[in-house]
């Protein structure tokens, strides 16, 4: 638990966003697009779900090898739902052997005591667990699966009993800012013993691609900031690690993208090196856009690229050929 203790010390001393600015690169590995849930806000809903074409264990081990020599500080296992992959423990172990921090982003449904213990042995640093509401019924409705809230709570208890740290991930909306629900989620996370809470703003992609009215206005942003406590709950809206070249995403099929929510690919790891793809990606003109919000919500970005996205039926889109 040394990494958890050190993280808590850093959070107490300064804003968690400053830590991310100063840190190395985070690699998000999308192991699968398959998931038990059918969330109303799912940003991955535009992507094809095809287990047969997902990268195999050997592919991911090769990728982890290559990432370990490219200044990668953290690896986040993402989905879909990454806990559905039978090789997750093996991949976590491979990352830890290379001295890289490991995170599993999950809905918490499969965090049984045996599973959590297995992840602990593999060397997982912490889980990032999603909570959409402090109400079990509303959370289940938003996730589209009955009982997922209770499963998530049981999973958190199992994390605590196995001394494995966890973060809480949630999102702000016009409604949950106004009605106080977001504050309740943060208070619940504190009561549960989370390290901290990450609050996303509505991301206008996936099922929310055409929901421009969901974007927070200036007064709602101010209200959100008043709810947050940067020593425990922070919003990534203040600093986009993707556009600031602190993050890369590798999809279940090997495509490299700026982040999971930006549906453009700059190359596939099966065809060229990760470094060459990253160099090509980070040299693209979209990285010149200045923004303090998710790129998918940025007015300049949407004006230039949203038609390309809305007119496409297959994702990610190869932007190099555009």
């Amino acid at each position: 638990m040394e990494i958890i203790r050190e993280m808590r010390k850093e959070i107490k001393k300064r804003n968690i966003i400053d830590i991310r600015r100063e840190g190395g690169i985070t690699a998000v590995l999308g192991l699968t697009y398959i998931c038990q849930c059918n969330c109303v806000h799912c940003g991955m809903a535009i992507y094809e779900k095809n287990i047969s074409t997902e990268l195999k264990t050997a592919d991911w081990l090769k990728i982890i090898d290559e990432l370990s020599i490219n200044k990668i500080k953290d690896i986040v296992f993402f989905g879909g739902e990454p806990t559905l992959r039978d090789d997750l423990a093996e991949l976590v172990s491979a990352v830890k052997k290379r001295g890289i921090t490991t995170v599993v982003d999950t809905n918490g449904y499969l965090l049984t005591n045996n599973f959590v213990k297995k992840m602990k042995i593999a060397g997982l640093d912490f889980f990032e667990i999603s909570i959409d509401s402090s109400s079990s019924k509303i959370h289940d409705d938003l996730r589209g699966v009955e009982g997922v809230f209770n499963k998530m709570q049981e999973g958190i208890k199992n994390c605590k009993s196995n001394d494995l740290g966890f973060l809480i991930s949630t999102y702000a909306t016009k409604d949950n800012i106004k009605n106080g629900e977001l504050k309740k989620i943060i208070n619940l996370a504190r009561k549960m013993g989370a390290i901290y809470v990450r609050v996303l703003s509505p991301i206008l992609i996936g099922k929310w691609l055409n929901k421009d009215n969901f974007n927070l206005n200036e007064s709602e942003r101010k209200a959100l900031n008043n709810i947050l406590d940067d020593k425990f709950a922070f919003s990534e809206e203040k600093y986009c690690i993707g556009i600031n070249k602190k993050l890369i995403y590798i999809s279940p099929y090997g495509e490299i993208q700026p982040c999971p929510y930006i549906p453009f690919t700059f190359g596939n790891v099966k065809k060229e090196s990760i470094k060459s793809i990253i160099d090509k990606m980070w040299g693209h003109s979209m990285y010149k856009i200045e923004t303090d919000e998710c790129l998918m919500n940025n007015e300049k970005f949407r004006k230039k690229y949203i038609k390309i996205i809305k007119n496409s039926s297959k994702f990610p889109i190869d932007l190099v050929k555009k």
Side-chain angles (χ1 to χ4, degrees), residues 91-292:
L91 298 179
V92 168
S93 180
V95 172
K96 286 307 296 179
K97 286 176 182 176
R98 289 157 178 81
I100 301 172
T101 301
T102 55
V103 185
V104 168
D105 187 290
T106 177
N107 56 36
Y109 195 86
L110 293 178
L111 302 190
T112 62
N113 188 60
N114 286 340
F115 183 86
V116 173
K117 189 176 293 185
K118 187 177 180 181
M119 292 298 108
K120 173 79 174 180
I121 293 169
L124 182 69
D125 289 302
F126 47 87
F127 286 106
E128 186 164 58
I129 303 172
S130 298
I131 298 181
D132 300 339
S133 173
S134 63
S135 160
S136 60
K137 185 181 185 312
I138 294 174
H139 177 88
D140 288 358
D141 288 346
L142 292 171
R143 292 262 144 186
V145 176
E146 186 176 351
V148 67
F149 185 88
N150 290 336
K151 289 280 191 180
M152 172 270 297
Q153 282 192 313
E154 290 172 12
I156 286 175
K157 289 178 182 177
N158 293 330
C159 288
K160 292 165 79 171
S161 66
N162 285 282
D163 201 25
L164 184 49
F166 63 95
L167 323 174
I168 294 300
S169 179
T170 190
Y171 57 92
T173 65
K174 293 174 182 289
D175 288 339
N176 71 11
I177 292 171
K178 186 177 180 180
N179 63 23
E181 177 56 32
L182 180 59
K183 193 168 185 178
K184 289 180 181 178
I185 294 172
I186 294 170
N187 289 337
L188 176 62
R190 195 187 303 274
K191 185 178 178 181
M192 287 174 163
I195 300 170
Y196 62 80
V197 180
R198 179 186 72 155
V199 182
L200 295 169
S201 292
I203 299 175
L204 307 183
I205 191 60
K207 293 184 179 179
W208 284 357
L209 177 62
N210 298 307
K211 304 289 187 179
D212 294 55
N213 60 317
F214 280 24
N215 213 353
L216 302 181
N217 59 37
E218 192 58 35
S219 66
E220 288 159 345
R221 284 190 183 193
K222 288 180 180 178
L224 171 59
N225 288 334
N226 288 335
I227 294 171
L228 300 175
D229 170 8
D230 281 334
K231 296 296 186 289
F232 181 67
F234 71 92
S235 171
E236 289 194 346
E237 187 175 57
K238 295 179 181 179
Y239 183 76
C240 175
I241 62 173
I243 201 63
N244 284 286
K245 301 179 181 179
K246 295 290 185 181
L247 181 143
I248 64 166
Y249 172 66
I250 303 179
S251 84
Y253 314 124
E255 304 291 346
I256 291 188
Q257 302 168 221
C259 89
Y261 304 110
I262 299 175
F264 293 124
T265 177
F266 289 84
N268 193 295
V269 297
K270 295 177 182 178
K271 298 177 181 178
E272 54 186 311
S273 73
I274 291 174
K275 187 180 184 306
S276 66
I277 299 172
I278 293 174
D279 288 345
K280 186 192 329 176
M281 180 171 71
W282 284 353
H284 194 272
S285 60
M286 75 164 63
Y287 281 85
K288 295 179 181 178
I289 297 174
E290 295 183 5
T291 180
D292 64 350

